[in-house]
Amino acid sequence: MAGEDDGKSDLKYKRVLLKISGEALMGDTEYGIDMPTCLKFAEEIKAARDEGAEICLVIGGGNIFRGLAGAANGMERAQADSMGMLATIMNALAMQNALETIGVPTRVQSGLRMDEVAEPFIRRRAIRHMEKGRVVIFAAGTGNPYFTTDTGAALRAAEMNCEAMLKGTQVDGVYSADPKTNPDAQRYDTLDYQDVLARNLRVMDASAVSLMRDTNIPIVVFSLHNKGALQSVLKGEGPSTVISAE
Ligand code: UDP
């Protein structure tokens, strides 16, 4: 069972938080949730859990609603952010469904009270779930407006004593330029938190990066689209960019 010392000690990171953007759940569609894509991610998570990793998830909401877009459209920002947080709860329930379809026990904990569909966020209870091998999905980001799910992910990674925050993206790391448009773009193997902040590398929000710097938790940026990539990253292998205090 995940959480027990079963001799599979080749994991570099045993307890991790995986951040998946809402947009990743769209797959090739234009909007919303593509269940085959959720299932694909669930299979990756299951394989990693079967290796003995303790995994918690934070999922964004950008495939459904972003507070900034609502504000740009004339809404009050805090109100629009509440809608964004509700979007993340929908995504969390979709991922819960995908994981449980393939036999992975899960719990959703929400930063906004939603008692009929999810537990409230209770840190010690979440840790217990992970120790029991459950994948805990944190919904509603930080539970506060004016933040993003990247910052929510950093906060939960720190609260859960995670050894790394894994950011699954469209590409396999942080590049010197956009690798989709610039063939000369180079992937960084490692970066210092300070480089990311000072050079405004746009890996994730500055508030998320600075919280990871202050708590000394490495951020590993990798591609969720490569099969087996999550397992490799947990072993410290495969293409990625590791952001830490170099
Ligand atoms: N949000 C928020 N507080 C949080 C996390 C998220 O208000 O702590 C809202 C915010 O409006 C954000 C939306 O939820 O735009 C969706 O989250 P995010 O944009 O981070 O999703 P992603 O880009 O990862 O899909």
Side-chain angles (χ1 to χ4, degrees):
M1 189 179 95
E4 282 174 11
D5 185 5
D6 50 11
K8 291 176 178 166
S9 54
D10 57 341
L11 293 183
K12 181 173 182 191
Y13 308 112
K14 187 160 190 314
R15 179 181 292 175
V16 295
L17 184 141
L18 172 64
K19 161 76 206 292
I20 305 177
S21 73
E23 277 176 4
L25 301 192
M26 296 193 303
D28 293 329
T29 62
E30 301 267 298
Y31 174 84
I33 302 166
D34 180 52
M35 277 317 285
T37 300
C38 293
L39 268 173
K40 190 179 83 174
F41 294 152
E43 294 281 4
E44 292 290 301
I45 293 162
K46 180 178 195 294
R49 178 182 166 274
D50 290 348
E51 293 267 346
E54 293 180 9
I55 303 179
C56 53
L57 300 178
V58 165
I59 306 178
N63 54 326
I64 299 170
F65 194 83
R66 277 211 174 88
L68 275 177
N73 215 7
M75 284 189 74
E76 191 189 353
R77 171 75 189 270
Q79 181 84 340
D81 280 339
S82 295
M83 291 173 64
M85 286 188 274
L86 292 175
T88 72
I89 298 174
M90 292 169 68
N91 286 335
L93 295 180
M95 273 310 297
Q96 176 173 47
N97 190 86
L99 283 160
E100 297 210 325
T101 302
I102 57 170
V104 179
T106 64
R107 292 290 186 273
V108 175
Q109 289 203 348
S110 175
L112 292 177
R113 294 298 292 240
M114 180 84 44
D115 293 353
E116 283 75 9
V117 294
E119 292 180 4
F121 172 66
I122 300 173
R123 188 182 73 86
R124 296 173 68 108
R125 193 169 187 179
I127 288 177
R128 190 78 193 109
H129 287 322
M130 287 182 74
E131 287 170 350
K132 287 186 175 172
R134 296 171 185 145
V135 171
V136 183
I137 307 170
F138 296 114
T142 64
N144 296 287
Y146 300 99
F147 288 100
T148 66
T149 50
D150 280 351
T151 306
L155 176 65
R156 299 296 185 231
E159 288 179 291
M160 301 298 288
N161 306 320
C162 287
E163 291 161 60
M165 152 141 70
L166 312 181
K167 168 126 175 160
T169 64
Q170 307 296 324
V171 289
D172 58 6
V174 184
Y175 279 76
S176 54
D178 185 348
K180 286 188 178 144
T181 52
N182 187 337
D184 296 329
Q186 302 274 331
R187 180 170 51 74
Y188 300 106
D189 285 333
T190 58
L191 281 169
D192 192 280
Y193 300 111
Q194 211 52 42
D195 288 336
V196 177
L197 293 170
R199 289 156 64 187
N200 200 11
L201 286 174
R202 298 190 183 283
V203 185
M204 55 173 51
D205 298 347
S207 54
V209 176
S210 61
L211 182 54
M212 294 293 84
R213 180 192 59 192
D214 295 349
T215 50
N216 206 17
I217 297 174
I219 304 166
V220 187
V221 183
F222 74 107
S223 171
L224 251 190
H225 297 285
N226 299 340
K227 198 166 161 32
L230 178 58
Q231 275 170 284
S232 299
V233 159
L234 288 170
K235 293 177 185 161
E237 298 165 0
S240 70
T241 300
V242 180
I243 303 166
S244 62
E246 279 184 326

